[in-house]
Amino acid sequence: MSVKTNPLNSHRYNLGLIGNCAYSGLVDQDANIRWLCWPRFDSSFIFGSLIDDEKGGEFSIKPATKDFKSTQEYIKNTNILCTRFETKDGAFEVIDFAPRFNLYERYHKPLMLFRKVKKLSGQPRINVKCHPVGDYGKKIPQRLMGSNHIRYEGLEQPVRLTTNASISYINEEKSFVVNDDLYFVLSWGVPFEAPLETTFEDFLKRTEKYWNTWVEHCHLPSVFQKEVIRSALALKLHQYEDTGAITAATTTSLPEIDQEGRNWDYRFCWVRDTYYTLSALNSLGQFEEMKKYTSFIENLDIDNLENLQPCYRIDGTKEMTEIVEDLNGYMGNKPVRVGNQAGSQIQHDVYGQVLLTFFKLYTDERLNVKKSSPQIIKSILKHIERYMEAPDNGVWEFRGKQSVHTYTLMFHWAGALAAKSIAKSIEDQDMLVRAEKAVQHAAQLIEKSYSPAKKAYAQALGTDEMDACMLQLITLGYFKNKSPEAAMDHLEAIRKELELSPGFFLRYKHADDFGVQKSAFLVCSFWYIEALANLGHASEAEKLLKRVITTQNHVGLMSEDYDVEMNSQWGNFPQTYSHVGLINCAFAIDRALNSPAFFIHE
């Protein structure tokens, strides 16, 4: 099972992530595919026991006996997952991966799941079960036996399991002895028809080489390198390469906290989240993802939009209708939502984030690529000018109210600064003048959110409520021309009001549509640590980061939320926000330490 409990009832998502930028899946420590959506990230699951044990289907490879030990880890610097089993009869491991490598001048990333049972010792007995489902568990396909495969018909496309294991034993779910290495390829649509063993081993070798090379090309900080690499690999798997969209998380409806109904579908492209993800990847020296994403943005036809939505489906479709599926939910947490109402919300911060994303294309001399038309920059700047003082639902997507949020003003300010730099680079005087006016207007409005009593900038105009997202005023450079004391006062006011435990923060303290929050939102931890490092407190920031990364699961993956009292992961998983935050903190601490790379940091 994917949930392990201890006497304190703490829990982790004991799952490993695999994928190839066409699909992704989650594998538990029993080598069961607990989550896999085909043909796209936002499609129905074909395996979804993570949110319904009865209707979610199953693809498990595990010992026939209940008396076994299992461990799970990645092949170093890859997204290839190994689950090792030890029983009294012998030992074996299951190797899971999604093929990805260069082939015919493009990336080969088929909708195929590769699984290998590698015999290690003795004569272990295993059970293999494969039951794909469709339409969120409502469709059960017909199983048809072939000579070396099982066909599953009745889903959107045919699914086929090709293997050198006994088809009869799999179909009858009988246990059998592992005498030799076994290979399994599950395919969607196009069947796998190449030589099984040689092709499998070739794809495995090529995929391992691809990921090793990708990591080798990453620029790394001198601290927390292992954690940064795993976070980078996880982020990479959240881009749907076909369109360039980047999803916020792999899953839907994993609750922010147990039994509170804060369950959302995050398998879509949030403009805001993507800005953060690309910023982290850019710090790593990875720009391919940004190039793909700019095409996604260009295809939204911003110039003809009344509003830029906060999120879109991964093919750029605007329709995000939120429905509730009749599923049991993760650990009984209902509702299970498909789609997201946030698509219909007003969140004006997205314009600044798009400009910050395009900024690199125009100003980084390493990027020898065709620049986007200046018209798209002007169109986005026009929206900033138009909506400068307009209320919106804010970064936390409040469903019941709108305000003029300081977070939005902050990105109006930062986005206008980016537009100003772009205007200089392309020598567009009109854009330069407009951008400068927008910078000044946004700064004037931000100052109206300042609370003299708290010595900090509040969540929105007309309130003195603190919000952890405002820590980014420090990291985005808003305090550059202010005193160091002003920045520290702002940091301390947020810490005093929102810190649950050293390094762990609420997003805000006031009640929202669902009541009062109880869990820490992990990206807020990272925003605080990064701000602390930027203000020169490297040692304290490093100490807190070591504490916060204990929230990782056994393979280094992080969730969205964390229950500090129960030491538990919650929220959708893996969460890009959290992995972005870790990367940014590591780089900020590295800069703040300002010492040679060979220096040992205790």
Side-chain angles (χ1 to χ4, degrees):
M1 296 294 291
S2 67
V3 177
K4 306 290 184 181
T5 59
N6 65 21
L8 294 177
N9 294 319
S10 68
H11 103 285
R12 290 286 200 276
Y13 297 122
N14 288 307
L15 303 161
L17 173 70
I18 59 171
N20 62 2
C21 301
Y23 81 91
S24 58
L26 295 171
V27 189
D28 73 11
Q29 290 178 299
D30 289 350
N32 185 14
I33 307 296
R34 298 295 301 280
W35 187 257
L36 192 155
C37 299
W38 270 350
R40 306 190 330 188
F41 296 167
D42 57 356
S43 299
S44 167
F45 57 72
I46 70 163
F47 301 113
S49 61
L50 186 65
I51 55 175
D52 195 310
D53 285 327
E54 297 174 2
K55 298 179 182 179
E58 180 177 358
F59 189 5
S60 61
I61 302 173
K62 61 182 179 181
T65 176
K66 294 183 179 180
D67 185 18
F68 66 86
K69 293 181 180 179
S70 69
T71 55
Q72 195 174 62
E73 64 181 1
Y74 285 103
I75 293 177
K76 186 177 180 179
N77 294 346
T78 75
N79 281 309
I80 301 170
L81 192 67
C82 298
T83 309
R84 181 187 176 108
F85 294 92
E86 295 182 12
T87 75
K88 61 180 179 61
D89 297 319
F92 67 95
E93 68 179 5
V94 178
I95 300 171
D96 286 308
F97 72 101
R100 180 176 173 83
F101 50 85
N102 289 299
L103 183 68
Y104 305 132
E105 300 179 352
R106 56 188 182 270
Y107 290 120
H108 185 57
K109 50 184 192 308
L111 294 177
M112 294 181 180
L113 169 64
F114 278 49
R115 316 197 74 187
K116 176 182 177 180
V117 177
K118 182 179 180 180
K119 179 181 175 180
L120 300 177
S121 65
Q123 289 189 304
R125 297 182 69 88
I126 65 171
N127 274 113
V128 179
K129 297 181 181 180
C130 186
H131 303 295
V133 297
D135 194 11
Y136 293 97
K138 293 188 282 292
K139 289 184 179 179
I140 308 298
Q142 180 184 9
R143 285 194 288 182
L144 301 173
M145 302 274 285
S147 58
N148 295 104
H149 67 264
I150 300 175
R151 299 195 308 277
Y152 302 88
E153 297 189 350
L155 302 178
E156 185 180 343
Q157 291 285 329
V159 173
R160 188 161 101 167
L161 177 64
T162 303
T163 181
N164 63 340
S166 166
I167 295 297
S168 297
Y169 291 155
I170 296 172
N171 189 54
E172 297 167 14
E173 298 185 359
K174 292 178 61 176
S175 66
F176 58 95
V177 175
V178 178
N179 288 314
D180 299 293
D181 291 349
L182 301 174
Y183 298 88
F184 302 83
V185 177
L186 189 74
S187 59
W188 173 273
V190 179
F192 178 87
E193 294 182 330
L196 180 59
E197 181 176 345
T198 55
T199 303
F200 191 109
E201 293 294 346
D202 179 52
F203 280 24
L204 176 59
K205 183 178 180 180
R206 290 189 185 198
T207 300
E208 183 175 359
K209 182 179 179 180
Y210 168 82
W211 289 120
N212 284 162
T213 302
W214 190 84
V215 170
E216 286 173 4
H217 290 167
C218 286
H219 170 66
L220 297 176
S222 63
V223 292
F224 300 100
Q225 288 192 352
K226 181 179 178 181
E227 294 82 3
V228 166
I229 288 171
R230 180 50 51 200
S231 290
L233 286 166
L235 291 182
K236 176 66 175 175
L237 292 187
H238 284 81
Q239 181 165 61
Y240 183 62
E241 194 169 68
D242 183 63
T243 64
I246 297 178
T247 57
T250 302
T251 55
T252 180
S253 300
L254 300 187
E256 293 181 10
I257 197 70
D258 196 20
Q259 305 301 326
E260 285 200 354
R262 298 176 187 263
N263 315 335
W264 317 110
D265 192 347
Y266 278 5
R267 300 171 297 157
F268 308 114
C269 183
W270 266 259
V271 177
R272 176 189 311 113
D273 297 48
T274 299
Y275 153 71
Y276 288 119
T277 297
L278 291 175
S279 295
L281 289 170
N282 289 348
S283 295
L284 293 160
Q286 297 289 349
F287 302 106
E288 184 179 44
E289 298 77 16
M290 179 175 64
K291 296 174 189 177
K292 290 281 187 182
Y293 177 68
T294 53
S295 295
F296 177 82
I297 291 294
E298 288 171 338
N299 285 319
L300 295 178
D301 193 16
I302 290 176
D303 195 38
N304 293 315
L305 293 178
E306 180 70 18
N307 296 102
L308 182 62
Q309 289 185 186
C311 56
Y312 293 84
R313 291 193 176 274
I314 59 175
D315 62 357
T317 302
K318 295 189 292 184
E319 179 58 47
M320 299 282 293
T321 302
E322 184 176 289
I323 64 172
V324 174
E325 291 287 346
D326 183 20
L327 296 166
N328 290 330
Y330 179 78
M331 295 178 64
N333 278 271
K334 295 184 177 183
V336 173
R337 293 183 171 96
V338 172
N340 200 302
Q341 186 182 317
S344 62
Q345 288 191 353
I346 303 299
Q347 296 175 31
H348 295 313
D349 57 289
V350 294
Y351 300 111
Q353 287 143 5
V354 171
L355 283 174
L356 288 168
T357 300
F358 276 80
F359 167 75
K360 276 281 185 183
L361 287 178
Y362 283 88
T363 60
D364 196 314
E365 291 295 333
R366 291 171 294 178
L367 301 180
N368 186 26
V369 297
K370 177 182 177 294
K371 310 302 184 187
S372 299
S373 167
Q375 182 57 40
I376 194 171
I377 307 300
K378 293 179 180 179
S379 296
I380 298 169
L381 181 59
K382 178 183 69 177
H383 283 87
I384 288 180
E385 293 167 334
R386 179 180 180 183
Y387 297 118
M388 183 68 75
E389 299 188 44
D392 66 4
N393 297 96
V395 59
W396 307 125
E397 300 175 349
F398 297 121
R399 297 192 171 202
K401 67 173 184 176
Q402 291 189 345
S403 302
V404 179
H405 287 97
T406 316
Y407 177 90
T408 299
L409 296 172
M410 174 174 65
F411 276 100
H412 287 337
W413 173 81
L417 278 173
K420 183 178 175 181
S421 293
I422 293 171
K424 286 183 179 179
S425 72
I426 62 175
E427 299 181 350
D428 188 320
Q429 187 62 30
D430 175 67
M431 189 196 302
L432 183 65
V433 171
R434 288 173 54 200
E436 176 58 30
K437 287 182 179 179
V439 170
Q440 296 301 324
H441 191 183
Q444 290 167 6
L445 292 171
I446 290 171
E447 289 304 315
K448 290 183 179 181
S449 75
Y450 186 75
S451 169
K454 295 186 177 181
K455 298 182 179 180
Y457 293 87
Q459 181 184 74
L461 302 190
T463 181
D464 64 354
E465 298 281 358
M466 293 291 99
D467 191 317
C469 72
M470 295 317 302
L471 289 162
Q472 291 170 91
L473 279 174
I474 298 171
T475 55
L476 285 173
Y478 187 76
F479 286 90
K480 182 179 179 181
N481 296 321
K482 298 179 183 292
S483 70
E485 291 78 18
M488 282 303 300
D489 286 343
H490 178 71
L491 182 86
E492 180 60 20
I494 293 174
R495 186 203 65 77
K496 183 177 180 181
E497 188 160 316
L498 300 179
E499 188 177 58
L500 289 170
S501 177
F504 294 97
F505 291 79
L506 293 170
R507 288 174 284 180
Y508 46 85
K509 209 165 189 177
H510 58 79
D512 58 21
D513 318 53
F514 295 85
V516 177
Q517 300 172 84
K518 298 176 183 175
S519 60
F521 202 70
L522 282 180
V523 74
C524 299
S525 297
F526 296 121
W527 286 338
Y528 179 80
I529 294 168
E530 185 183 3
L532 199 62
N534 283 2
L535 294 176
H537 299 271
S539 296
E540 185 180 353
E542 186 176 21
K543 180 180 177 181
L544 287 176
L545 184 55
K546 288 178 179 178
R547 186 167 193 257
V548 173
I549 62 176
T550 63
T551 65
Q552 294 174 328
N553 75 354
H554 63 294
V555 289
L557 299 177
M558 289 183 291
S559 61
E560 177 186 30
D561 298 83
Y562 194 73
D563 185 335
V564 177
E565 290 186 7
M566 302 307 295
N567 195 32
S568 295
Q569 291 182 324
W570 291 106
N572 280 304
F573 174 90
Q575 176 70 18
T576 57
Y577 256 164
S578 300
H579 288 284
V580 164
L582 187 154
I583 292 170
N584 289 342
C585 285
F587 276 106
I589 291 169
D590 189 29
R591 291 190 298 268
L593 288 171
N594 196 27
S595 57
F598 55 81
F599 224 77
I600 297 176
H601 303 290
E602 299 296 340

Short mmCIF file of all heavy atoms in Angstrom, two decimals, residues 145-185:
data_model
loop_
_atom_site.label_atom_id
_atom_site.label_comp_id
_atom_site.label_asym_id
_atom_site.label_seq_id
_atom_site.Cartn_x
_atom_site.Cartn_y
_atom_site.Cartn_z
N MET A 145 -6.94 -12.91 -25.03
CA MET A 145 -5.63 -13.53 -24.94
C MET A 145 -4.98 -13.65 -26.31
O MET A 145 -5.62 -14.03 -27.30
CB MET A 145 -5.76 -14.93 -24.34
CG MET A 145 -6.40 -14.97 -22.97
SD MET A 145 -5.20 -14.71 -21.68
CE MET A 145 -4.40 -16.31 -21.70
N GLY A 146 -3.70 -13.32 -26.40
CA GLY A 146 -2.90 -13.57 -27.59
C GLY A 146 -1.81 -14.56 -27.26
O GLY A 146 -1.77 -15.13 -26.16
N SER A 147 -0.89 -14.78 -28.21
CA SER A 147 0.15 -15.78 -27.96
C SER A 147 1.13 -15.31 -26.90
O SER A 147 1.57 -16.11 -26.06
CB SER A 147 0.91 -16.08 -29.26
OG SER A 147 1.47 -14.89 -29.80
N ASN A 148 1.46 -14.02 -26.92
CA ASN A 148 2.37 -13.46 -25.91
C ASN A 148 1.89 -12.11 -25.41
O ASN A 148 2.68 -11.26 -25.02
CB ASN A 148 3.79 -13.31 -26.49
CG ASN A 148 4.43 -14.63 -26.82
OD1 ASN A 148 4.51 -14.99 -27.99
ND2 ASN A 148 4.87 -15.37 -25.83
N HIS A 149 0.57 -11.93 -25.44
CA HIS A 149 0.04 -10.65 -24.99
C HIS A 149 -1.41 -10.80 -24.55
O HIS A 149 -2.06 -11.81 -24.85
CB HIS A 149 0.15 -9.59 -26.09
CG HIS A 149 -0.73 -9.85 -27.27
ND1 HIS A 149 -0.29 -10.48 -28.41
CD2 HIS A 149 -2.06 -9.58 -27.49
CE1 HIS A 149 -1.28 -10.57 -29.28
NE2 HIS A 149 -2.37 -10.03 -28.75
N ILE A 150 -1.86 -9.78 -23.82
CA ILE A 150 -3.28 -9.67 -23.47
C ILE A 150 -3.76 -8.33 -24.02
O ILE A 150 -3.12 -7.29 -23.81
CB ILE A 150 -3.49 -9.70 -21.94
CG1 ILE A 150 -2.96 -11.01 -21.35
CG2 ILE A 150 -4.97 -9.54 -21.60
CD1 ILE A 150 -3.02 -11.06 -19.83
N ARG A 151 -4.87 -8.36 -24.77
CA ARG A 151 -5.46 -7.13 -25.29
C ARG A 151 -6.63 -6.73 -24.41
O ARG A 151 -7.44 -7.57 -23.99
CB ARG A 151 -5.96 -7.33 -26.73
CG ARG A 151 -4.88 -7.69 -27.71
CD ARG A 151 -5.35 -7.50 -29.16
NE ARG A 151 -6.61 -8.17 -29.46
CZ ARG A 151 -6.72 -9.45 -29.78
NH1 ARG A 151 -5.63 -10.21 -29.82
NH2 ARG A 151 -7.89 -9.98 -30.07
N TYR A 152 -6.73 -5.43 -24.15
CA TYR A 152 -7.82 -4.87 -23.36
C TYR A 152 -8.61 -3.94 -24.28
O TYR A 152 -8.11 -2.88 -24.67
CB TYR A 152 -7.29 -4.12 -22.15
CG TYR A 152 -6.43 -4.98 -21.23
CD1 TYR A 152 -5.05 -5.10 -21.46
CD2 TYR A 152 -6.97 -5.68 -20.17
CE1 TYR A 152 -4.25 -5.88 -20.63
CE2 TYR A 152 -6.19 -6.46 -19.34
CZ TYR A 152 -4.84 -6.57 -19.58
OH TYR A 152 -4.05 -7.35 -18.77
N GLU A 153 -9.81 -4.34 -24.64
CA GLU A 153 -10.60 -3.60 -25.62
C GLU A 153 -11.86 -3.02 -24.99
O GLU A 153 -12.46 -3.62 -24.11
CB GLU A 153 -10.96 -4.50 -26.81
CG GLU A 153 -9.73 -4.99 -27.57
CD GLU A 153 -10.08 -5.70 -28.85
OE1 GLU A 153 -11.28 -5.99 -29.05
OE2 GLU A 153 -9.17 -5.99 -29.65
N GLY A 154 -12.24 -1.84 -25.47
CA GLY A 154 -13.41 -1.16 -24.94
C GLY A 154 -13.10 0.18 -24.30
O GLY A 154 -14.00 0.89 -23.87
N LEU A 155 -11.80 0.53 -24.26
CA LEU A 155 -11.39 1.84 -23.77
C LEU A 155 -11.29 2.80 -24.96
O LEU A 155 -11.62 2.44 -26.09
CB LEU A 155 -10.06 1.75 -23.02
CG LEU A 155 -10.03 0.78 -21.83
CD1 LEU A 155 -8.65 0.74 -21.21
CD2 LEU A 155 -11.08 1.17 -20.79
N GLU A 156 -10.85 4.00 -24.73
CA GLU A 156 -10.75 4.99 -25.80
C GLU A 156 -9.86 4.49 -26.94
O GLU A 156 -10.11 4.74 -28.11
CB GLU A 156 -10.20 6.30 -25.23
CG GLU A 156 -10.15 7.44 -26.23
CD GLU A 156 -9.62 8.71 -25.60
OE1 GLU A 156 -9.59 8.80 -24.35
OE2 GLU A 156 -9.21 9.62 -26.35
N GLN A 157 -8.78 3.80 -26.58
CA GLN A 157 -7.89 3.13 -27.52
C GLN A 157 -7.56 1.75 -26.97
O GLN A 157 -7.65 1.52 -25.76
CB GLN A 157 -6.59 3.93 -27.70
CG GLN A 157 -6.75 5.25 -28.42
CD GLN A 157 -6.94 5.08 -29.91
OE1 GLN A 157 -6.44 4.14 -30.52
NE2 GLN A 157 -7.71 5.99 -30.51
N PRO A 158 -7.18 0.80 -27.84
CA PRO A 158 -6.80 -0.52 -27.33
C PRO A 158 -5.57 -0.42 -26.43
O PRO A 158 -4.65 0.36 -26.69
CB PRO A 158 -6.49 -1.31 -28.60
CG PRO A 158 -7.17 -0.57 -29.70
CD PRO A 158 -7.16 0.87 -29.31
N VAL A 159 -5.56 -1.20 -25.38
CA VAL A 159 -4.41 -1.31 -24.49
C VAL A 159 -3.90 -2.74 -24.59
O VAL A 159 -4.69 -3.69 -24.62
CB VAL A 159 -4.80 -0.96 -23.04
CG1 VAL A 159 -3.66 -1.26 -22.07
CG2 VAL A 159 -5.22 0.50 -22.94
N ARG A 160 -2.59 -2.90 -24.65
CA ARG A 160 -2.04 -4.25 -24.80
C ARG A 160 -0.86 -4.46 -23.87
O ARG A 160 0.03 -3.59 -23.77
CB ARG A 160 -1.62 -4.50 -26.24
CG ARG A 160 -1.22 -5.96 -26.49
CD ARG A 160 -1.26 -6.28 -27.96
NE ARG A 160 0.07 -6.29 -28.54
CZ ARG A 160 0.36 -6.78 -29.75
NH1 ARG A 160 -0.63 -7.29 -30.50
NH2 ARG A 160 1.58 -6.74 -30.22
N LEU A 161 -0.84 -5.61 -23.21
CA LEU A 161 0.27 -6.02 -22.36
C LEU A 161 1.06 -7.10 -23.09
O LEU A 161 0.54 -8.19 -23.34
CB LEU A 161 -0.23 -6.54 -21.02
CG LEU A 161 0.85 -7.07 -20.06
CD1 LEU A 161 1.79 -5.94 -19.63
CD2 LEU A 161 0.23 -7.74 -18.85
N THR A 162 2.29 -6.79 -23.43
CA THR A 162 3.18 -7.74 -24.10
C THR A 162 4.22 -8.21 -23.11
O THR A 162 4.84 -7.39 -22.40
CB THR A 162 3.87 -7.07 -25.30
OG1 THR A 162 2.88 -6.55 -26.19
CG2 THR A 162 4.74 -8.06 -26.05
N THR A 163 4.46 -9.52 -23.03
CA THR A 163 5.35 -10.05 -22.00
C THR A 163 5.91 -11.41 -22.39
O THR A 163 5.34 -12.11 -23.25
CB THR A 163 4.59 -10.17 -20.66
OG1 THR A 163 5.47 -10.67 -19.65
CG2 THR A 163 3.40 -11.10 -20.79
N ASN A 164 7.01 -11.77 -21.76
CA ASN A 164 7.53 -13.13 -21.89
C ASN A 164 7.14 -14.00 -20.70
O ASN A 164 7.56 -15.15 -20.59
CB ASN A 164 9.06 -13.12 -22.06
CG ASN A 164 9.80 -12.55 -20.85
OD1 ASN A 164 9.20 -11.83 -20.04
ND2 ASN A 164 11.07 -12.85 -20.72
N ALA A 165 6.34 -13.44 -19.79
CA ALA A 165 5.80 -14.23 -18.66
C ALA A 165 4.59 -15.02 -19.13
O ALA A 165 4.05 -14.79 -20.22
CB ALA A 165 5.42 -13.30 -17.52
N SER A 166 4.16 -15.95 -18.31
CA SER A 166 3.01 -16.79 -18.65
C SER A 166 1.73 -15.96 -18.73
O SER A 166 1.31 -15.36 -17.75
CB SER A 166 2.84 -17.90 -17.62
OG SER A 166 1.57 -18.51 -17.76
N ILE A 167 1.12 -15.92 -19.93
CA ILE A 167 -0.14 -15.23 -20.11
C ILE A 167 -1.24 -15.89 -19.28
O ILE A 167 -2.10 -15.21 -18.69
CB ILE A 167 -0.53 -15.22 -21.61
CG1 ILE A 167 0.48 -14.41 -22.41
CG2 ILE A 167 -1.93 -14.66 -21.79
CD1 ILE A 167 0.55 -12.96 -22.05
N SER A 168 -1.20 -17.20 -19.18
CA SER A 168 -2.22 -17.93 -18.41
C SER A 168 -2.16 -17.57 -16.94
O SER A 168 -3.19 -17.31 -16.31
CB SER A 168 -2.03 -19.44 -18.58
OG SER A 168 -2.22 -19.83 -19.92
N TYR A 169 -0.95 -17.53 -16.38
CA TYR A 169 -0.82 -17.22 -14.96
C TYR A 169 -1.28 -15.78 -14.67
O TYR A 169 -1.91 -15.52 -13.64
CB TYR A 169 0.63 -17.38 -14.51
CG TYR A 169 1.11 -18.83 -14.48
CD1 TYR A 169 2.46 -19.14 -14.60
CD2 TYR A 169 0.21 -19.88 -14.34
CE1 TYR A 169 2.91 -20.44 -14.58
CE2 TYR A 169 0.65 -21.20 -14.33
CZ TYR A 169 2.00 -21.47 -14.46
OH TYR A 169 2.45 -22.77 -14.44
N ILE A 170 -0.98 -14.86 -15.57
CA ILE A 170 -1.41 -13.48 -15.38
C ILE A 170 -2.92 -13.39 -15.48
O ILE A 170 -3.58 -12.76 -14.64
CB ILE A 170 -0.74 -12.55 -16.42
CG1 ILE A 170 0.77 -12.53 -16.21
CG2 ILE A 170 -1.32 -11.13 -16.31
CD1 ILE A 170 1.53 -11.81 -17.30
N ASN A 171 -3.48 -14.03 -16.48
CA ASN A 171 -4.94 -13.97 -16.69
C ASN A 171 -5.69 -14.60 -15.53
O ASN A 171 -6.74 -14.11 -15.11
CB ASN A 171 -5.30 -14.66 -18.00
CG ASN A 171 -6.74 -14.45 -18.39
OD1 ASN A 171 -7.22 -13.32 -18.47
ND2 ASN A 171 -7.46 -15.53 -18.64
N GLU A 172 -5.14 -15.71 -15.01
CA GLU A 172 -5.79 -16.43 -13.92
C GLU A 172 -5.35 -15.91 -12.54
O GLU A 172 -5.85 -16.38 -11.51
CB GLU A 172 -5.47 -17.93 -14.02
CG GLU A 172 -6.02 -18.57 -15.30
CD GLU A 172 -5.46 -19.96 -15.54
OE1 GLU A 172 -4.84 -20.52 -14.60
OE2 GLU A 172 -5.60 -20.47 -16.67
N GLU A 173 -4.38 -14.99 -12.55
CA GLU A 173 -3.85 -14.40 -11.31
C GLU A 173 -3.28 -15.46 -10.38
O GLU A 173 -3.46 -15.41 -9.16
CB GLU A 173 -4.91 -13.54 -10.61
CG GLU A 173 -5.36 -12.36 -11.46
CD GLU A 173 -6.32 -11.43 -10.75
OE1 GLU A 173 -6.67 -11.72 -9.60
OE2 GLU A 173 -6.72 -10.42 -11.36
N LYS A 174 -2.58 -16.41 -10.97
CA LYS A 174 -1.91 -17.46 -10.21
C LYS A 174 -0.47 -17.06 -9.95
O LYS A 174 0.17 -16.43 -10.78
CB LYS A 174 -1.94 -18.78 -10.98
CG LYS A 174 -3.33 -19.40 -11.12
CD LYS A 174 -3.28 -20.68 -11.94
CE LYS A 174 -2.39 -21.72 -11.28
NZ LYS A 174 -2.43 -23.00 -12.03
N SER A 175 0.06 -17.42 -8.80
CA SER A 175 1.46 -17.13 -8.51
C SER A 175 2.36 -18.06 -9.31
O SER A 175 1.96 -19.17 -9.69
CB SER A 175 1.72 -17.30 -7.01
OG SER A 175 1.57 -18.66 -6.62
N PHE A 176 3.57 -17.58 -9.58
CA PHE A 176 4.52 -18.41 -10.32
C PHE A 176 5.94 -18.02 -9.93
O PHE A 176 6.19 -16.92 -9.41
CB PHE A 176 4.31 -18.29 -11.83
CG PHE A 176 4.41 -16.90 -12.39
CD1 PHE A 176 5.60 -16.43 -12.93
CD2 PHE A 176 3.30 -16.05 -12.39
CE1 PHE A 176 5.68 -15.16 -13.46
CE2 PHE A 176 3.38 -14.78 -12.93
CZ PHE A 176 4.57 -14.32 -13.45
N VAL A 177 6.87 -18.93 -10.20
CA VAL A 177 8.26 -18.76 -9.81
C VAL A 177 9.00 -17.92 -10.85
O VAL A 177 8.80 -18.10 -12.06
CB VAL A 177 8.95 -20.13 -9.65
CG1 VAL A 177 10.45 -19.95 -9.35
CG2 VAL A 177 8.30 -20.93 -8.53
N VAL A 178 9.86 -17.05 -10.37
CA VAL A 178 10.72 -16.26 -11.25
C VAL A 178 12.03 -17.01 -11.42
O VAL A 178 12.87 -17.04 -10.52
CB VAL A 178 10.98 -14.86 -10.68
CG1 VAL A 178 11.92 -14.07 -11.60
CG2 VAL A 178 9.69 -14.10 -10.48
N ASN A 179 12.19 -17.63 -12.59
CA ASN A 179 13.43 -18.34 -12.89
C ASN A 179 14.37 -17.50 -13.75
O ASN A 179 15.58 -17.68 -13.71
CB ASN A 179 13.12 -19.65 -13.62
CG ASN A 179 12.51 -20.68 -12.68
OD1 ASN A 179 12.99 -20.89 -11.57
ND2 ASN A 179 11.43 -21.33 -13.12
N ASP A 180 13.79 -16.60 -14.54
CA ASP A 180 14.57 -15.73 -15.43
C ASP A 180 13.98 -14.32 -15.38
O ASP A 180 12.88 -14.11 -14.86
CB ASP A 180 14.51 -16.25 -16.87
CG ASP A 180 15.08 -17.65 -17.01
OD1 ASP A 180 16.30 -17.80 -16.82
OD2 ASP A 180 14.30 -18.58 -17.32
N ASP A 181 14.71 -13.39 -15.94
CA ASP A 181 14.21 -12.02 -16.00
C ASP A 181 12.94 -11.97 -16.85
O ASP A 181 12.85 -12.63 -17.89
CB ASP A 181 15.26 -11.09 -16.60
CG ASP A 181 16.46 -10.89 -15.69
OD1 ASP A 181 16.38 -11.30 -14.51
OD2 ASP A 181 17.46 -10.32 -16.15
N LEU A 182 11.98 -11.19 -16.39
CA LEU A 182 10.69 -11.07 -17.07
C LEU A 182 10.50 -9.64 -17.53
O LEU A 182 10.89 -8.68 -16.85
CB LEU A 182 9.55 -11.47 -16.13
CG LEU A 182 9.60 -12.88 -15.55
CD1 LEU A 182 8.49 -13.09 -14.54
CD2 LEU A 182 9.51 -13.93 -16.67
N TYR A 183 9.86 -9.50 -18.69
CA TYR A 183 9.66 -8.19 -19.29
C TYR A 183 8.18 -7.96 -19.57
O TYR A 183 7.47 -8.86 -20.04
CB TYR A 183 10.45 -8.07 -20.60
CG TYR A 183 11.94 -8.21 -20.40
CD1 TYR A 183 12.56 -9.46 -20.43
CD2 TYR A 183 12.72 -7.09 -20.17
CE1 TYR A 183 13.92 -9.59 -20.24
CE2 TYR A 183 14.10 -7.21 -19.98
CZ TYR A 183 14.69 -8.46 -20.01
OH TYR A 183 16.04 -8.58 -19.82
N PHE A 184 7.74 -6.73 -19.28
CA PHE A 184 6.34 -6.35 -19.50
C PHE A 184 6.32 -4.98 -20.17
O PHE A 184 6.95 -4.03 -19.68
CB PHE A 184 5.57 -6.25 -18.17
CG PHE A 184 5.59 -7.52 -17.36
CD1 PHE A 184 6.65 -7.82 -16.53
CD2 PHE A 184 4.52 -8.40 -17.42
CE1 PHE A 184 6.66 -8.98 -15.76
CE2 PHE A 184 4.52 -9.57 -16.66
CZ PHE A 184 5.58 -9.86 -15.84
N VAL A 185 5.58 -4.87 -21.26
CA VAL A 185 5.37 -3.57 -21.91
C VAL A 185 3.87 -3.37 -22.08
O VAL A 185 3.20 -4.14 -22.77
CB VAL A 185 6.07 -3.49 -23.28
CG1 VAL A 185 5.75 -2.14 -23.94
CG2 VAL A 185 7.57 -3.65 -23.13
#
